[in-house]
Amino acid sequence: MDDVVYMVRGGTREICQRELDRLCQLLGAVPTMRPSAAVGRGWTARAVPAPQPEPVAGHE
């Protein structure tokens, strides 16, 4: 599997959300899991790289 996934962990929901927003802005990523306290210690969120548009045939 060659999928890239970014994970953010924080002690509070606010910290986790702030860092998720920052990561998405800096890396052009999109959130796939908003901050949740359901997995492990603290708060966790995830993002993946934004999909790139497919090139138009004849315009590569």
Side-chain angles (χ1 to χ4, degrees):
M1 178 183 264
D2 293 340
D3 295 334
V4 174
V5 177
Y6 305 111
M7 184 174 93
V8 176
R9 290 184 61 192
T12 66
R13 183 192 181 289
E14 292 77 20
I15 291 170
C16 191
Q17 182 67 56
R18 182 184 69 220
E19 294 306 316
L20 176 64
D21 293 343
R22 184 170 171 261
L23 180 136
C24 289
Q25 180 182 19
L26 292 173
L27 298 179
V30 292
T32 58
M33 185 180 99
R34 295 289 178 182
S36 170
V39 181
R41 274 188 7 231
W43 289 80
T44 305
R46 292 191 179 103
V48 296
Q52 299 299 312
E54 293 292 324
V56 178
H59 294 92
E60 285 95 25

